[in-house]
Amino acid sequence: MPILPTHWGNLPPLFARERLHPAAIAQADRMLAEAGGKSEGKWCVAFSGGADSLALLLTVWTLWPERRSELCVLHFNHRLRGAESEADAVFCAEVCGEMGVEFHIGEWSDAKAGASEAEAREARLAFFETEMEAVGSRVLWTGHQKDDVAETLLMRIARGSGSAGLAAPRPVQTRADGRILLRPLLTLRKAEIVAALQKAGVTWREDASNAVGDFFRNRVRRDVMPPWRAAAGNDALGGAALTRELLDEDDAALNVWLAELLPEGGYDGDALDVRALEGKPRALWRRALRRWRPLAALGRAGFEEVLALCARGSGRTSAGEGVVEIGAGILRYMEKGGVGRGGWTEARLSVGTVLFLPDGGVLTMRVVAFTAELRRRIFAGQVDMAREAFLAEEPAAFCVRPWRTGDRYRPLGAPGSAALQDLFVNRKIPAARRGQLPVVIGEDGRILWVPGFPPAEESKTTSDSVTGLHLTYETGTCTVRL
């Protein structure tokens, strides 16, 4: 049974060019003009069989008839909905067969029940990239529309995204590898797309899983969007689309400003000259640091600490598997020493430094005055030795590392030093936990503190102590309690 009541070649456009996003249309026209009417390579179109992607395919088909022989339709079967997924694939193949366009299908070979939305998207995009490479295409059309803009905005606000993330999905997205994603339907509401298909007598596939709250986007679409739009009392989707456009403009402006201050090729090394950023808004610093290769994969907490370090203008802090320091306007990244127990390496701890350990633990040090009340609390044993220690030591840069075979430690009150391994055993600290505990080493090589034990006997607070150091330790993801 044909999907359209008329031949594909006689189908009028579903939407006039003026109703589509001008940036996407202009980019397509520009590519054709630059190539003398023949865009280099094929145009790939992502096609799920749903209303949006079918409307997209018909839009490209009708507005650029000269490109019909160079279209390549891509369908990815996630294999998450059983027979329904198979029916989607059959439908897409039939559509492309009637249109006479090239059709490529892929399947998620290792799909598993309960797969996350991110995993499914990653598998789908990997298929698109493979097929585009195979056919020599650098252009991919996708069917995102105005409802998707609002959903994405709400989802990313919940995750704490900045302007770059909140400006997605963009009408034209140029990737680092030179591929271009075009989204001409961003100016249209889902309801408008469905109405246009119905008017044309076109059938499409419905994904019943969209009504189930398994994925975050589905929950936002089902549970958040309807009351949000009703509460707004106006065109909330239009407002969200405008917000996306304005954020995109701001994001582009910040990128241009940053490019004027720092050279594009300066982010790949272990040193970054940030003198040009002095006195500039924090947003530019954040953007530059995110582009710097050593910090590209750094978690949010560690990244914020590096940003705070830059605001101070001097010092150093732990950054993942290395250390970042700043001085004279130059940021430097240094790998830590050889890998030790627990999968981490040496770092330096100084006053004001915050060390983020590989298991998510946090170690800090600050100067403290030994007031009468503080001395009373220390002498009374009212100190949680798993979380803090007071040392009668002068400020210095201490080494922090995992324990090593042969380490000896004399905790407060002990008659002499003992093997740290024996102390772990006596305290019944699990072997897996030992390698995650930071061992603080003084400049003379003595162990000053290990969380879970009192501080070193030689560093104890006395009635004559005036100032010293306060070390604090917060456990990370490890669930073992001392």
Side-chain angles (χ1 to χ4, degrees):
M1 175 180 169
I3 298 167
L4 280 179
T6 184
H7 190 274
W8 292 100
N10 300 325
L11 181 71
L14 294 178
F15 307 103
R17 291 171 64 98
E18 294 74 22
R19 295 195 61 194
L20 302 173
H21 200 289
I25 301 302
Q27 178 66 35
D29 290 342
R30 185 162 50 250
M31 290 188 297
L32 287 172
E34 291 173 353
K38 294 184 178 181
S39 177
E40 181 183 355
K42 293 181 179 291
W43 280 0
C44 288
V45 181
F47 185 36
S48 68
D52 301 336
S53 62
L54 180 54
L56 169 72
L57 177 56
L58 296 181
T59 295
V60 176
W61 170 269
T62 54
L63 291 185
W64 290 279
E66 69 276 23
R67 292 291 304 170
R68 291 177 181 177
S69 62
E70 294 298 317
L71 290 182
C72 179
V73 178
L74 307 179
H75 175 77
F76 187 67
N77 183 354
H78 296 91
R79 300 175 61 240
L80 296 175
R81 295 166 32 247
E84 289 297 308
S85 292
E86 299 302 323
D88 290 346
V90 171
F91 174 85
C92 292
E94 289 177 350
V95 169
C96 294
E98 290 188 23
M99 297 177 71
V101 297
E102 186 176 344
F103 177 65
H104 292 211
I105 184 171
E107 291 188 348
W108 195 3
S109 58
D110 55 349
K112 59 183 183 296
S116 70
E117 186 177 13
E119 290 173 326
R121 180 176 60 252
E122 193 173 301
R124 181 173 64 252
L125 294 179
F127 164 72
F128 290 161
E129 290 181 2
T130 299
E131 296 306 307
M132 291 176 70
E133 181 71 26
V135 300
S137 172
R138 68 185 187 96
V139 178
L140 177 66
W141 297 78
T142 70
H144 295 83
Q145 29 79 1
K146 195 178 284 188
D147 296 54
D148 294 320
V149 170
E151 292 166 6
T152 301
L153 190 65
L154 292 173
M155 291 169 65
R156 297 198 172 186
I157 286 175
R159 292 168 176 161
S161 296
S163 60
L166 296 175
R170 292 170 172 79
V172 180
Q173 180 182 351
T174 302
R175 295 167 53 108
D177 59 8
R179 294 190 176 118
I180 300 173
L181 276 65
L182 299 179
R183 303 182 178 99
L185 306 185
L186 292 182
T187 51
L188 300 169
R189 291 179 289 112
K190 175 79 169 187
E192 294 177 292
I193 293 172
V194 169
L197 291 174
Q198 290 174 335
K199 182 178 180 181
V202 180
T203 60
W204 63 89
R205 294 285 298 171
E206 288 286 358
D207 184 351
S209 68
N210 286 336
V212 180
D214 292 343
F215 295 145
F216 185 24
R217 181 176 293 275
N218 289 355
R219 294 193 295 274
V220 169
R221 180 180 298 148
R222 183 192 65 185
D223 303 332
V224 178
M225 291 287 288
W228 176 68
R229 293 176 65 178
N234 58 9
D235 182 9
L237 295 183
L242 177 58
T243 295
R244 193 214 66 78
E245 297 277 351
L246 296 175
L247 287 167
D248 200 7
E249 292 176 3
D250 290 349
D251 183 59
L254 284 171
N255 285 336
V256 170
W257 190 4
L258 181 60
E260 292 173 351
L261 297 171
L262 297 182
E264 285 295 331
Y267 296 100
D268 292 333
D270 290 335
L272 181 65
D273 188 340
V274 292
R275 288 174 292 182
L277 295 179
E278 293 179 4
K280 299 299 188 295
R282 187 180 180 89
L284 288 172
W285 283 86
R286 184 181 299 278
R287 200 160 289 242
L289 293 182
R290 271 302 179 200
R291 295 184 181 185
W292 191 29
R293 179 190 55 77
L295 304 187
L298 190 63
R300 181 172 297 179
F303 181 84
E304 292 298 325
E305 181 56 34
V306 174
L307 195 59
L309 172 70
C310 292
R312 294 194 296 270
S314 64
R316 60 166 55 187
T317 188
S318 177
E321 295 301 315
V323 175
V324 170
E325 68 175 12
I326 186 171
I330 306 295
L331 271 171
R332 291 182 175 84
Y333 176 82
M334 297 161 287
E335 295 287 348
K336 296 174 185 175
V339 176
R341 289 183 170 87
W344 60 289
T345 53
E346 291 186 5
R348 305 295 290 181
L349 179 68
S350 54
V351 171
T353 296
V354 178
L355 286 183
F356 292 89
L357 305 174
D359 72 332
V362 179
L363 189 65
T364 67
M365 181 168 70
R366 66 183 181 89
V367 174
V368 65
F370 287 115
T371 62
E373 172 57 25
L374 179 56
R375 284 197 299 269
R376 184 202 63 76
R377 184 162 72 87
I378 294 172
F379 297 156
Q382 298 174 348
V383 175
D384 184 352
M385 60 187 180
R387 298 181 178 277
E388 62 179 338
F390 293 91
L391 308 179
E393 296 277 348
E394 293 295 324
F398 297 147
C399 171
V400 178
R401 59 167 174 78
W403 78 278
R404 297 172 180 169
T405 302
D407 277 345
R408 298 188 67 81
Y409 182 35
R410 186 187 179 190
L412 179 66
S417 66
L420 184 53
Q421 183 172 9
D422 292 340
L423 295 176
F424 283 147
V425 172
N426 293 339
R427 289 284 176 129
K428 295 182 172 56
I429 296 176
R433 181 71 175 119
R434 299 169 194 172
Q436 296 172 327
L437 290 173
V439 178
V440 182
I441 312 292
E443 290 185 306
D444 58 1
R446 289 183 298 111
I447 294 179
L448 302 179
W449 183 50
V450 179
F453 296 93
E457 171 69 23
E458 297 90 340
S459 303
K460 66 182 179 183
T461 304
T462 68
S463 57
D464 296 326
S465 299
V466 178
T467 61
L469 301 172
H470 181 204
L471 279 63
T472 63
Y473 172 66
E474 292 294 333
T475 57
T477 57
C478 180
T479 59
V480 177
R481 305 296 296 177
L482 295 178

